[in-house]
Amino acid sequence: MRIWKFADNIDTDQIIPAEYLTTGDAKKLAANAFAKVRPEFSKEVKEGDIIVSGENFGCGSSREHAPRALLGAGISCVIAKSFARIFFRNSINIGLQLLEADVFDRIEERDEIEINFEDGVIMNHTKKEDYKFKPLPEFMQKLLESGGLIPYIKMQNSHLR
Amino acid sequence: MPTIAEKILSGMAGEIVECEVDYIMVNDVTGVPAFEVFEKLERGMKKEKVVVIQDHYVPNKDVASAEQANALRNYARRYGIENYYEIGKGGVCHQVMIEEGFAAPGRLIIGADSHTCSYGALGAFSTGVGSTEAAAAMATGRLWFKVPATQKFVINGDLKRYVMGKDIILHVIGDIGVSGSLYNSQEFYGTAINNLNLSDRITISNMTVEAGAKAGIIPPDEKVFDFLRGRVRGEYKAVYADTGSEYEEVFEYDASEIVPTVAKPFSPDNTVPASELDVPIDQAYLGSCTNGRIEDLRVAAEILRGKKVNTEARMIVVPASENVFKQAIEEGLIQIFLEADVFVCGPTCGACLGGHMGVLAKGEKCISTTNRNFIGRMGHKDSEVYLANPAVVAASAIKGRITDPAELGI
């Protein structure tokens, strides 16, 4: 597991440039994730890696291709100080784990971290520090636990019909 | 007392609600993934609510985009979607949604495109969603929303010549920043807003997402009702905030102090007066859902009449819809552009998102009426986009460098 750090206002054009939007396939999209700004990402990223970012992660376009690309790349969680709202919804709706925490200045790319979602704690084993975060609202947690909006709707047969 | 957003979503700020949506719009980029997800749900299609518009990579730019457009076309046929807009009949999705009478006051509209917030200019709560959400709503007609808190923007006073809706919204974004309205809705008031035509109001609502807003709503007035007469589908009911509505924040601006404004790379909040820039440009681009309407073309044509695009630069005009294109021909605007050595093409999202029809090479600079100037937005990662109003774009095309139109002394 490694950490990938990205600064503030990472827009969806950076996450997946528009010229690659002729597919919705997560794996194919992952091959071009951050192609313009960080070309090594798609080659080096591994299953379980974590993104740590600042403010307004995922701003710009509504393209669900952005969280799909990260899911396809094997990203297990995106931690950011804040998220752009469409990206936030899209991620939860497709089952990409997000959490809001202001830890950009605390976590380095080589740090070994572990996340306890139940208690809302990020443990930085390298620095021997813990950072608390506010768990998602219950409804959104339910969506994530179901695997996203589609499994959730299927489960809630009468609901949302 | 509730804001417009709270009234349309029938909830108070912070609540999570589930609402019936009036329309669900998808385009050629977001539509195919939406239909794919929809099929996993194994439900019937609420097809009367679904609007499908080909606009991003059409006419097909390559084989992959041709396959994508064809897949969307086939889905629309398979599900008998009557609100389907092929090239030649439509244009840029948001312009089509407005012209075709889908957008109206009080409605709740979602679209799988972030600039769906444009219909706030007609008093709708409209917002961008992802393909999965669009798919869920296609099947259920409903979607979950977190009711946003609302920020109020009051702009009073008279705008100077060549200052447009674009400058108002760039001024606001420059002030509050690209995350200044994160998770919030915006409402616009004031004499400057009242005096704006609908086109300029659409520009304002269109770019509210650039500050992170969920919606950007302008209380509808006679200009909106007139526009909708004979055009709107079905009934609608205008919704207004109550006196004493609770706003998260209130911002006030003096319209007379707003100047033709440019957002420099690589963020829409990186704003500066056009007059302070001396940047040589390679391309001037007029078009998009932000500024590709007849009113925008008129402003640019007036400046370009009898002049030529600078020999060191090139200019592209892309009307936002077939209707805009036709009207521009009837009004003689296209003739003016052609005589000025402007390249004109039919409606498409085109180069706005770096698709086609004007993609930039390494190191090139473009002054553009579009909405985003992110890294590589219009092409090469080392190209640059400067956002401005149509008058600034036209003046800059003539001078070959970023120019405040007042400098032309017309």
Side-chain angles (χ1 to χ4, degrees):
Chain A
M1 193 278 298
R2 71 164 279 191
I3 309 284
W4 294 85
K5 282 183 77 174
F6 289 90
D8 291 341
N9 300 316
I10 298 298
D11 57 76
T12 51
D13 280 80
Q14 291 184 51
I15 300 171
I16 183 76
E19 52 260 51
Y20 305 115
L21 300 184
T22 47
T23 177
D25 182 80
K27 285 279 169 212
K28 286 183 190 160
L29 290 165
N32 293 302
F34 298 107
K36 287 186 183 176
V37 292
R38 207 155 174 191
E40 76 277 14
F41 177 87
S42 61
K43 294 174 194 79
E44 295 171 13
V45 67
K46 293 207 169 55
E47 194 72 33
D49 283 3
I50 290 172
I51 288 176
V52 173
S53 184
E55 267 187 17
N56 203 20
F57 187 88
C59 61
S61 147
S62 67
R63 62 189 70 159
E64 192 175 297
H65 307 65
R68 283 189 187 196
L70 301 185
L71 209 54
I75 292 295
S76 63
C77 183
V78 184
I79 304 173
K81 187 176 173 189
S82 62
F83 291 93
R85 57 157 290 277
I86 307 177
F87 180 89
F88 186 85
R89 289 179 66 105
N90 281 345
S91 299
I92 288 171
N93 285 330
I94 66 167
L96 173 65
Q97 183 80 54
L98 302 180
L99 71 87
E100 275 189 344
D102 186 4
V103 293
F104 185 80
D105 296 330
R106 302 300 316 158
I107 298 176
E108 308 307 321
E109 293 213 335
R110 288 172 186 201
D111 287 358
E112 202 48 54
I113 71 167
E114 193 185 328
I115 304 168
N116 180 332
F117 288 99
E118 286 75 45
D119 300 337
V121 180
I122 304 165
M123 290 162 277
N124 187 333
H125 296 309
T126 311
K127 288 199 176 128
K128 311 226 179 312
E129 292 178 341
D130 286 354
Y131 320 112
K132 282 203 161 51
F133 64 89
K134 210 170 105 189
L136 288 173
E138 199 187 331
F139 172 72
M140 295 181 203
Q141 267 181 3
K142 261 190 215 155
L143 277 182
L144 265 177
E145 281 162 18
S146 319
L149 184 61
I150 298 306
Y152 177 81
I153 291 176
K154 280 187 160 180
M155 261 170 27
Q156 307 257 315
N157 247 338
S158 56
H159 190 56
L160 280 171
R161 200 179 267 277
Chain B
M1 297 303 244
T3 62
I4 298 178
E6 288 171 328
K7 280 193 177 175
I8 296 177
L9 293 174
S10 309
M12 295 309 285
E15 277 182 79
I16 290 179
V17 294
E18 193 191 297
C19 297
E20 185 80 20
V21 300
D22 291 293
Y23 290 108
I24 304 139
M25 187 275 298
V26 296
N27 59 42
D28 50 316
V29 166
T30 58
V32 175
F35 279 104
E36 286 167 359
V37 173
F38 167 79
E39 295 201 326
K40 289 187 196 160
L41 277 167
E42 298 169 336
R43 296 264 194 115
M45 169 81 70
K46 304 270 185 193
K47 64 178 187 178
E48 69 288 349
K49 288 181 187 278
V50 179
V51 188
V52 177
I53 304 172
Q54 303 263 19
D55 70 350
H56 273 55
Y57 292 149
V58 291
N60 311 331
K61 83 177 171 92
D62 53 20
V63 173
S65 65
E67 297 289 353
Q68 183 163 261
N70 212 26
L72 185 64
R73 194 172 290 123
N74 289 335
Y75 276 124
R77 282 182 189 143
R78 188 184 313 163
Y79 291 103
I81 308 284
E82 285 173 19
N83 303 321
Y84 172 76
Y85 292 90
E86 187 55 81
I87 59 163
K89 285 182 166 179
V92 178
C93 60
H94 306 302
Q95 183 64 17
V96 174
M97 288 295 285
I98 291 167
E99 285 179 1
E100 292 290 315
F102 294 105
R107 285 189 181 160
L108 174 56
I109 302 174
I110 58 170
D113 187 285
S114 59
H115 293 109
T116 301
C117 51
S118 303
Y119 328 142
L122 291 90
F125 186 97
S126 58
T127 194
V129 299
S131 298
T132 295
E133 299 186 290
M138 283 174 172
T140 64
R142 304 172 73 80
L143 192 62
W144 69 275
F145 296 90
K146 188 174 175 196
V147 181
T150 298
Q151 295 162 308
K152 183 178 187 177
F153 295 84
V154 185
I155 301 116
N156 281 316
D158 294 327
L159 290 174
K160 289 201 190 79
R161 196 176 177 205
Y162 298 127
V163 177
M164 301 176 68
K166 183 64 159 283
D167 303 295
I168 293 178
I169 191 63
L170 285 177
H171 190 78
V172 168
I173 298 167
D175 183 37
I176 67 173
V178 289
S179 55
S181 286
L182 220 49
Y183 311 131
N184 286 335
S185 175
Q186 300 181 344
E187 283 179 19
F188 292 88
Y189 295 88
T191 54
I193 302 295
N194 300 342
N195 292 335
L196 283 182
N197 61 34
L198 180 58
S199 176
D200 275 35
R201 293 184 194 176
I202 295 168
T203 307
I204 291 177
S205 293
N206 173 278
M207 284 193 71
T208 53
V209 67
E210 267 39 270
K214 185 166 188 162
I217 306 177
I218 299 175
D221 62 5
E222 281 303 322
K223 287 178 189 171
V224 173
F225 307 143
D226 286 347
F227 175 81
L228 290 173
R229 215 156 281 138
R231 179 193 304 268
V232 68
R233 289 159 192 256
E235 304 289 312
Y236 67 87
K237 190 169 182 298
V239 171
Y240 300 95
D242 292 332
T243 19
S245 298
E246 286 208 14
Y247 292 97
E248 177 100 343
E249 281 175 289
V250 179
F251 298 85
E252 289 182 38
Y253 301 94
D254 179 350
S256 67
E257 286 177 6
I258 299 176
V259 296
T261 300
V262 173
K264 297 188 292 179
F266 293 101
S267 181
D269 63 5
N270 194 12
T271 55
V272 59
S275 59
E276 287 180 15
L277 289 175
D278 185 21
V279 177
I281 53 145
D282 301 284
Q283 179 168 295
Y285 186 93
L286 172 63
S288 83
C289 53
T290 310
N291 277 126
R293 278 171 286 281
I294 193 70
E295 292 83 353
D296 301 311
L297 270 58
R298 282 181 195 140
V299 166
E302 195 48 46
I303 289 170
L304 283 157
R305 184 192 298 274
K307 301 208 167 49
K308 295 275 188 200
V309 172
N310 193 286
T311 52
E312 297 295 311
R314 55 189 188 267
M315 181 168 177
I316 299 170
V317 171
V318 189
S321 71
E322 291 293 339
N323 287 330
V324 172
F325 200 5
K326 273 182 222 159
Q327 197 174 343
I329 290 170
E330 283 165 18
E331 293 185 15
L333 309 183
I334 301 299
Q335 191 66 28
I336 293 171
F337 291 134
L338 294 176
E339 283 170 10
D341 297 340
V342 173
F343 176 88
V344 182
C345 73
T348 171
C349 296
C352 171
L353 75 161
H356 58 154
M357 305 299 290
V359 171
L360 301 172
K362 184 178 182 176
E364 285 194 319
K365 293 177 170 47
C366 179
I367 183 91
S368 177
T369 65
T370 54
N371 41 53
R372 289 185 180 137
N373 55 357
F374 299 150
I375 296 168
R377 172 75 178 180
M378 280 181 98
H380 195 279
K381 70 178 173 67
D382 297 325
S383 61
E384 293 183 351
V385 180
Y386 293 75
L387 307 175
N389 79 29
V392 173
V393 167
S396 304
I398 293 166
K399 288 287 189 182
R401 59 181 173 77
I402 294 179
T403 303
D404 183 323
E407 202 189 298
L408 296 175
I410 301 173

